PDB file of all heavy atoms in Angstrom:
ATOM      1  N   LYS A 151      20.302  11.496  23.219  1.00 90.00           N
ATOM      2  CA  LYS A 151      20.203  12.439  24.329  1.00 90.00           C
ATOM      3  C   LYS A 151      18.778  12.504  24.874  1.00 90.00           C
ATOM      4  O   LYS A 151      18.570  12.578  26.092  1.00 90.00           O
ATOM      5  CB  LYS A 151      20.673  13.821  23.882  1.00 90.00           C
ATOM      6  CG  LYS A 151      22.174  13.896  23.654  1.00 90.00           C
ATOM      7  CD  LYS A 151      22.594  15.263  23.157  1.00 90.00           C
ATOM      8  CE  LYS A 151      24.112  15.329  22.976  1.00 90.00           C
ATOM      9  NZ  LYS A 151      24.545  16.628  22.419  1.00 90.00           N
ATOM     10  N   SER A 152      17.800  12.459  23.983  1.00 90.00           N
ATOM     11  CA  SER A 152      16.407  12.485  24.429  1.00 90.00           C
ATOM     12  C   SER A 152      16.081  11.239  25.242  1.00 90.00           C
ATOM     13  O   SER A 152      15.385  11.314  26.265  1.00 90.00           O
ATOM     14  CB  SER A 152      15.463  12.587  23.230  1.00 90.00           C
ATOM     15  OG  SER A 152      15.614  13.828  22.576  1.00 90.00           O
ATOM     16  N   LEU A 153      16.586  10.088  24.794  1.00 89.00           N
ATOM     17  CA  LEU A 153      16.354   8.846  25.529  1.00 89.00           C
ATOM     18  C   LEU A 153      16.987   8.914  26.914  1.00 89.00           C
ATOM     19  O   LEU A 153      16.399   8.466  27.912  1.00 89.00           O
ATOM     20  CB  LEU A 153      16.940   7.671  24.743  1.00 89.00           C
ATOM     21  CG  LEU A 153      16.741   6.277  25.358  1.00 89.00           C
ATOM     22  CD1 LEU A 153      15.258   5.974  25.519  1.00 89.00           C
ATOM     23  CD2 LEU A 153      17.419   5.217  24.489  1.00 89.00           C
ATOM     24  N   THR A 154      18.187   9.487  27.006  1.00 91.00           N
ATOM     25  CA  THR A 154      18.853   9.648  28.289  1.00 91.00           C
ATOM     26  C   THR A 154      18.042  10.538  29.224  1.00 91.00           C
ATOM     27  O   THR A 154      17.854  10.223  30.410  1.00 91.00           O
ATOM     28  CB  THR A 154      20.260  10.254  28.101  1.00 91.00           C
ATOM     29  OG1 THR A 154      21.024   9.389  27.266  1.00 91.00           O
ATOM     30  CG2 THR A 154      20.970  10.417  29.431  1.00 91.00           C
ATOM     31  N   ALA A 155      17.549  11.651  28.687  1.00 90.00           N
ATOM     32  CA  ALA A 155      16.749  12.566  29.497  1.00 90.00           C
ATOM     33  C   ALA A 155      15.463  11.896  29.981  1.00 90.00           C
ATOM     34  O   ALA A 155      15.083  12.023  31.150  1.00 90.00           O
ATOM     35  CB  ALA A 155      16.426  13.827  28.700  1.00 90.00           C
ATOM     36  N   LEU A 156      14.787  11.163  29.097  1.00 89.00           N
ATOM     37  CA  LEU A 156      13.553  10.486  29.478  1.00 89.00           C
ATOM     38  C   LEU A 156      13.789   9.407  30.532  1.00 89.00           C
ATOM     39  O   LEU A 156      12.987   9.209  31.435  1.00 89.00           O
ATOM     40  CB  LEU A 156      12.897   9.858  28.244  1.00 89.00           C
ATOM     41  CG  LEU A 156      12.179  10.798  27.282  1.00 89.00           C
ATOM     42  CD1 LEU A 156      11.721  10.043  26.042  1.00 89.00           C
ATOM     43  CD2 LEU A 156      10.982  11.451  27.967  1.00 89.00           C
ATOM     44  N   GLY A 157      14.923   8.710  30.416  1.00 91.00           N
ATOM     45  CA  GLY A 157      15.188   7.591  31.314  1.00 91.00           C
ATOM     46  C   GLY A 157      15.759   7.989  32.661  1.00 91.00           C
ATOM     47  O   GLY A 157      15.567   7.273  33.654  1.00 91.00           O
ATOM     48  N   GLN A 158      16.453   9.129  32.726  1.00 92.00           N
ATOM     49  CA  GLN A 158      17.193   9.463  33.943  1.00 92.00           C
ATOM     50  C   GLN A 158      16.775  10.777  34.604  1.00 92.00           C
ATOM     51  O   GLN A 158      17.100  10.992  35.773  1.00 92.00           O
ATOM     52  CB  GLN A 158      18.693   9.543  33.607  1.00 92.00           C
ATOM     53  CG  GLN A 158      19.275   8.244  33.086  1.00 92.00           C
ATOM     54  CD  GLN A 158      19.170   7.110  34.099  1.00 92.00           C
ATOM     55  OE1 GLN A 158      19.316   7.317  35.301  1.00 92.00           O
ATOM     56  NE2 GLN A 158      18.914   5.901  33.612  1.00 92.00           N
ATOM     57  N   TYR A 159      16.077  11.638  33.899  1.00 94.00           N
ATOM     58  CA  TYR A 159      15.797  12.971  34.428  1.00 94.00           C
ATOM     59  C   TYR A 159      14.487  13.025  35.201  1.00 94.00           C
ATOM     60  O   TYR A 159      13.559  12.242  34.957  1.00 94.00           O
ATOM     61  CB  TYR A 159      15.733  13.968  33.275  1.00 94.00           C
ATOM     62  CG  TYR A 159      17.041  14.652  32.963  1.00 94.00           C
ATOM     63  CD1 TYR A 159      18.235  14.237  33.545  1.00 94.00           C
ATOM     64  CD2 TYR A 159      17.077  15.734  32.099  1.00 94.00           C
ATOM     65  CE1 TYR A 159      19.419  14.882  33.267  1.00 94.00           C
ATOM     66  CE2 TYR A 159      18.265  16.389  31.812  1.00 94.00           C
ATOM     67  CZ  TYR A 159      19.430  15.956  32.400  1.00 94.00           C
ATOM     68  OH  TYR A 159      20.605  16.603  32.128  1.00 94.00           O
ATOM     69  N   SER A 160      14.415  13.985  36.122  1.00 96.00           N
ATOM     70  CA  SER A 160      13.172  14.291  36.819  1.00 96.00           C
ATOM     71  C   SER A 160      12.241  15.041  35.876  1.00 96.00           C
ATOM     72  O   SER A 160      12.622  15.408  34.757  1.00 96.00           O
ATOM     73  CB  SER A 160      13.463  15.160  38.044  1.00 96.00           C
ATOM     74  OG  SER A 160      13.921  16.452  37.632  1.00 96.00           O
ATOM     75  N   ALA A 161      11.012  15.288  36.327  1.00 96.00           N
ATOM     76  CA  ALA A 161      10.048  16.004  35.488  1.00 96.00           C
ATOM     77  C   ALA A 161      10.557  17.398  35.127  1.00 96.00           C
ATOM     78  O   ALA A 161      10.484  17.825  33.972  1.00 96.00           O
ATOM     79  CB  ALA A 161       8.704  16.098  36.215  1.00 96.00           C
ATOM     80  N   GLU A 162      11.080  18.130  36.109  1.00 97.00           N
ATOM     81  CA  GLU A 162      11.614  19.463  35.842  1.00 97.00           C
ATOM     82  C   GLU A 162      12.752  19.398  34.828  1.00 97.00           C
ATOM     83  O   GLU A 162      12.824  20.213  33.902  1.00 97.00           O
ATOM     84  CB  GLU A 162      12.124  20.112  37.132  1.00 97.00           C
ATOM     85  CG  GLU A 162      11.036  20.584  38.066  1.00 97.00           C
ATOM     86  CD  GLU A 162      11.620  21.355  39.240  1.00 97.00           C
ATOM     87  OE1 GLU A 162      12.712  21.942  39.089  1.00 97.00           O
ATOM     88  OE2 GLU A 162      10.976  21.369  40.303  1.00 97.00           O
ATOM     89  N   GLU A 163      13.651  18.446  35.004  1.00 97.00           N
ATOM     90  CA  GLU A 163      14.804  18.330  34.124  1.00 97.00           C
ATOM     91  C   GLU A 163      14.393  17.958  32.709  1.00 97.00           C
ATOM     92  O   GLU A 163      14.955  18.459  31.736  1.00 97.00           O
ATOM     93  CB  GLU A 163      15.775  17.300  34.689  1.00 97.00           C
ATOM     94  CG  GLU A 163      16.469  17.752  35.973  1.00 97.00           C
ATOM     95  CD  GLU A 163      17.219  16.622  36.650  1.00 97.00           C
ATOM     96  OE1 GLU A 163      16.810  15.445  36.499  1.00 97.00           O
ATOM     97  OE2 GLU A 163      18.209  16.908  37.345  1.00 97.00           O
ATOM     98  N   ARG A 164      13.414  17.073  32.570  1.00 97.00           N
ATOM     99  CA  ARG A 164      12.950  16.670  31.237  1.00 97.00           C
ATOM    100  C   ARG A 164      12.389  17.861  30.466  1.00 97.00           C
ATOM    101  O   ARG A 164      12.691  18.053  29.286  1.00 97.00           O
ATOM    102  CB  ARG A 164      11.854  15.600  31.350  1.00 97.00           C
ATOM    103  CG  ARG A 164      12.301  14.254  31.856  1.00 97.00           C
ATOM    104  CD  ARG A 164      11.134  13.295  31.787  1.00 97.00           C
ATOM    105  NE  ARG A 164      11.267  12.224  32.761  1.00 97.00           N
ATOM    106  CZ  ARG A 164      10.375  11.255  32.923  1.00 97.00           C
ATOM    107  NH1 ARG A 164       9.275  11.241  32.180  1.00 97.00           N
ATOM    108  NH2 ARG A 164      10.569  10.328  33.820  1.00 97.00           N
ATOM    109  N   ILE A 165      11.544  18.638  31.123  1.00 97.00           N
ATOM    110  CA  ILE A 165      10.929  19.778  30.449  1.00 97.00           C
ATOM    111  C   ILE A 165      11.979  20.827  30.119  1.00 97.00           C
ATOM    112  O   ILE A 165      11.978  21.405  29.017  1.00 97.00           O
ATOM    113  CB  ILE A 165       9.801  20.358  31.310  1.00 97.00           C
ATOM    114  CG1 ILE A 165       8.643  19.344  31.385  1.00 97.00           C
ATOM    115  CG2 ILE A 165       9.304  21.687  30.743  1.00 97.00           C
ATOM    116  CD1 ILE A 165       7.523  19.746  32.317  1.00 97.00           C
ATOM    117  N   ALA A 166      12.895  21.091  31.053  1.00 97.00           N
ATOM    118  CA  ALA A 166      13.959  22.060  30.793  1.00 97.00           C
ATOM    119  C   ALA A 166      14.826  21.600  29.628  1.00 97.00           C
ATOM    120  O   ALA A 166      15.209  22.402  28.767  1.00 97.00           O
ATOM    121  CB  ALA A 166      14.814  22.257  32.045  1.00 97.00           C
ATOM    122  N   TYR A 167      15.124  20.294  29.582  1.00 96.00           N
ATOM    123  CA  TYR A 167      15.932  19.764  28.470  1.00 96.00           C
ATOM    124  C   TYR A 167      15.215  19.959  27.140  1.00 96.00           C
ATOM    125  O   TYR A 167      15.820  20.397  26.154  1.00 96.00           O
ATOM    126  CB  TYR A 167      16.234  18.283  28.686  1.00 96.00           C
ATOM    127  CG  TYR A 167      16.881  17.660  27.477  1.00 96.00           C
ATOM    128  CD1 TYR A 167      18.246  17.820  27.238  1.00 96.00           C
ATOM    129  CD2 TYR A 167      16.122  16.964  26.534  1.00 96.00           C
ATOM    130  CE1 TYR A 167      18.837  17.298  26.107  1.00 96.00           C
ATOM    131  CE2 TYR A 167      16.710  16.449  25.397  1.00 96.00           C
ATOM    132  CZ  TYR A 167      18.064  16.615  25.188  1.00 96.00           C
ATOM    133  OH  TYR A 167      18.643  16.112  24.054  1.00 96.00           O
ATOM    134  N   LEU A 168      13.929  19.633  27.092  1.00 97.00           N
ATOM    135  CA  LEU A 168      13.161  19.787  25.850  1.00 97.00           C
ATOM    136  C   LEU A 168      13.179  21.242  25.382  1.00 97.00           C
ATOM    137  O   LEU A 168      13.398  21.518  24.190  1.00 97.00           O
ATOM    138  CB  LEU A 168      11.722  19.323  26.074  1.00 97.00           C
ATOM    139  CG  LEU A 168      10.755  19.561  24.898  1.00 97.00           C
ATOM    140  CD1 LEU A 168      11.160  18.714  23.694  1.00 97.00           C
ATOM    141  CD2 LEU A 168       9.321  19.255  25.312  1.00 97.00           C
ATOM    142  N   LEU A 169      12.954  22.168  26.300  1.00 97.00           N
ATOM    143  CA  LEU A 169      12.923  23.575  25.917  1.00 97.00           C
ATOM    144  C   LEU A 169      14.284  24.032  25.402  1.00 97.00           C
ATOM    145  O   LEU A 169      14.369  24.734  24.388  1.00 97.00           O
ATOM    146  CB  LEU A 169      12.497  24.434  27.101  1.00 97.00           C
ATOM    147  CG  LEU A 169      11.092  24.183  27.661  1.00 97.00           C
ATOM    148  CD1 LEU A 169      10.735  25.259  28.681  1.00 97.00           C
ATOM    149  CD2 LEU A 169      10.051  24.138  26.562  1.00 97.00           C
ATOM    150  N   LEU A 170      15.354  23.642  26.072  1.00 97.00           N
ATOM    151  CA  LEU A 170      16.694  24.024  25.623  1.00 97.00           C
ATOM    152  C   LEU A 170      16.991  23.460  24.236  1.00 97.00           C
ATOM    153  O   LEU A 170      17.557  24.145  23.372  1.00 97.00           O
ATOM    154  CB  LEU A 170      17.739  23.533  26.624  1.00 97.00           C
ATOM    155  CG  LEU A 170      17.804  24.286  27.952  1.00 97.00           C
ATOM    156  CD1 LEU A 170      18.668  23.517  28.938  1.00 97.00           C
ATOM    157  CD2 LEU A 170      18.349  25.695  27.748  1.00 97.00           C
ATOM    158  N   HIS A 171      16.607  22.204  24.028  1.00 95.00           N
ATOM    159  CA  HIS A 171      16.823  21.558  22.729  1.00 95.00           C
ATOM    160  C   HIS A 171      16.102  22.325  21.623  1.00 95.00           C
ATOM    161  O   HIS A 171      16.689  22.610  20.560  1.00 95.00           O
ATOM    162  CB  HIS A 171      16.325  20.118  22.799  1.00 95.00           C
ATOM    163  CG  HIS A 171      16.332  19.391  21.497  1.00 95.00           C
ATOM    164  ND1 HIS A 171      17.486  19.030  20.844  1.00 95.00           N
ATOM    165  CD2 HIS A 171      15.306  18.976  20.703  1.00 95.00           C
ATOM    166  CE1 HIS A 171      17.190  18.420  19.720  1.00 95.00           C
ATOM    167  NE2 HIS A 171      15.876  18.380  19.594  1.00 95.00           N
ATOM    168  N   LEU A 172      14.852  22.690  21.863  1.00 96.00           N
ATOM    169  CA  LEU A 172      14.080  23.418  20.854  1.00 96.00           C
ATOM    170  C   LEU A 172      14.583  24.848  20.686  1.00 96.00           C
ATOM    171  O   LEU A 172      14.616  25.374  19.566  1.00 96.00           O
ATOM    172  CB  LEU A 172      12.599  23.411  21.225  1.00 96.00           C
ATOM    173  CG  LEU A 172      11.901  22.054  21.094  1.00 96.00           C
ATOM    174  CD1 LEU A 172      10.488  22.120  21.639  1.00 96.00           C
ATOM    175  CD2 LEU A 172      11.888  21.584  19.645  1.00 96.00           C
TER     176      LEU A 172
END
Side-chain angles (χ1 to χ4, degrees):
K151 289 178 178 177
S152 294
L153 182 59
T154 301
L156 285 174
Q158 299 299 323
Y159 268 10
S160 68
E162 286 187 27
E163 291 169 331
R164 291 185 206 179
I165 292 174
Y167 172 80
L168 174 66
L169 298 189
L170 287 168
H171 173 69
L172 290 173

